[in-house]
Amino acid sequence: MASYLGPFKRMGYLLGLLGVTVLAGCGKDLPQSVFDPHGPVARMQLRLLSLTMWLALLVGTVVAALSIYVAWRFREKPGDKGLPPQIHGNHKLEVLWTIIPIAILTIIAVPTVQTAQAVYNPPQGALKVRVIGRQWFWDFEYPELGIKTSNELHIPVGRPIELEVTSQDVIHSFWVPKLMGTIDVIPNRVNKAWMQADEPGEYSGQCKEFCGASHAKMKFRVIAEDPAKFEEWVKKMKQYSVTVDSDLAKRGQQLFFEKSCYQCHAISGLVGKTADGKEVEAKGTVGPNLTGVGSRRYIAAGYMPNTDENLKLWLKDPGAVKPGAKMPNLQLKEDELQALVAFLRSVK
Ligand code: CUA
């Protein structure tokens, strides 16, 4: 008996484990749970998801129950001989099982079309943001405000944010589970969507389309702030200037230009001298925009908390942290690493 039940027992454990895993994904305290919406778009999408999920569960339960009932009711009984009488076709049944699915699909179709319309068209008064997906980070531009930043998107609460989404290399997918569902990020195409946050907070986002070696590390944050605080940030970014106050940081600033970091990264308004004395501006676009990087919460596209240690780890060997990253290993020495960290801290 035990050996006969063996496979079932194992299947039971497996199903139990699967169930626990699935339920764990439904928790409310998780940073990327779609079951905990914090804005109108995410709420509309969750409503539609719940409707279809419950209807599917109802259909599944009814079909499973009927199958079990039929298997039991018409099982072979002692004394049965050969096949029971065979029936072909039943008009009543066929009409019924055509009408019921049509009714169910209609119930799903109407709110689906309504939701699709609503989540693609932002309400009046939206703030426009361009999202550019890159291997493996995010550029954010505010065309109306003249601000560019990367990996941390500041938004004011209570105001719709109109997103124009595109990619500069391969297909990515932009997703902030608590604020909005996914939107494809496709080269040579601009996709539109919008989102809005109800309350201030840090909302975790993630690329959701496999896009290469460091896809899993292509994260970002949406920082939703009270309008007044957002305006402060806008003001700071518009009149941005770096104040370097220690000798170590000053040395770091020199290195930023001597080691050619400026060729790939922009820091608004920052000017310096290259190794051969040429005056240049930090306005590279190959890597993330570093304006204000010192006050970001994370580095490496939301992958690591922005601590001195992590920053050093990243500068020392970017490819070890993020396989395939375009940032080269500059073979920096310990004192150079310390100086660059001190400098990047001042870029706040
Ligand atoms: Cu970008 Cu996955």
Side-chain angles (χ1 to χ4, degrees), residues 134 136 138 171-173 207-212 215-216 218:
R134 321 267 306 265
W136 289 278
W138 301 90
I171 299 177
H172 306 274
S173 181
C207 176
K208 207 227 65 192
E209 179 85 36
F210 181 71
C211 55
H215 153 72
M218 188 170 165

Side-chain angles (χ1 to χ4, degrees), residues 62-77:
V62 169
V63 170
L66 280 175
S67 306
I68 292 167
Y69 170 73
V70 167
W72 177 79
R73 173 80 177 73
F74 300 104
R75 71 195 185 281
E76 190 179 13
K77 294 177 196 86

Side-chain angles (χ1 to χ4, degrees), residues 129-188:
V129 172
R130 264 186 218 130
V131 174
I132 303 136
R134 321 267 306 265
Q135 278 171 320
W136 289 278
F137 62 94
W138 301 90
D139 278 336
F140 300 121
E141 299 177 6
Y142 302 71
E144 292 148 354
L145 304 173
I147 294 174
K148 289 183 181 182
T149 186
S150 296
N151 299 328
E152 282 182 18
L153 175 63
H154 287 247
I155 62 167
V157 294
R159 185 168 171 196
I161 308 300
E162 181 181 350
L163 300 165
E164 290 183 352
V165 180
T166 190
S167 165
Q168 221 166 65
D169 36 56
V170 299
I171 299 177
H172 306 274
S173 181
F174 182 85
W175 188 28
V176 196
K178 291 195 177 193
L179 300 182
M180 62 177 282
T182 64
I183 181 90
D184 283 342
V185 181
I186 300 172
N188 299 317

Side-chain angles (χ1 to χ4, degrees), residues 27-100:
K28 282 216 158 195
D29 301 331
L30 297 165
Q32 295 190 165
S33 171
V34 295
F35 295 97
D36 185 21
H38 277 65
V41 174
R43 256 194 308 277
M44 282 189 271
Q45 289 166 328
L46 179 60
R47 219 175 294 143
L48 184 61
L49 172 73
S50 304
L51 173 76
T52 44
M53 189 185 71
W54 287 116
L55 275 173
L57 199 65
L58 179 72
V59 171
T61 310
V62 169
V63 170
L66 280 175
S67 306
I68 292 167
Y69 170 73
V70 167
W72 177 79
R73 173 80 177 73
F74 300 104
R75 71 195 185 281
E76 190 179 13
K77 294 177 196 86
D80 280 355
K81 281 197 186 89
L83 286 172
Q86 299 295 296
I87 302 157
H88 188 81
N90 182 320
H91 279 293
K92 257 192 219 157
L93 262 183
E94 279 169 25
V95 169
L96 202 67
W97 69 45
T98 306
I99 287 178
I100 293 176

Side-chain angles (χ1 to χ4, degrees), residues 17 22 44 47 57 112 146 158 185 187 189 196 213 224 240 267 272-273 276 287 289 292 294 305-306 309:
L17 198 67
V22 168
M44 282 189 271
R47 219 175 294 143
L57 199 65
T112 300
V185 181
R189 187 189 156 83
Q196 183 178 319
Y240 194 80
I267 296 175
K273 280 202 173 96
D276 43 12
N289 188 306
N306 189 358
E309 240 162 65

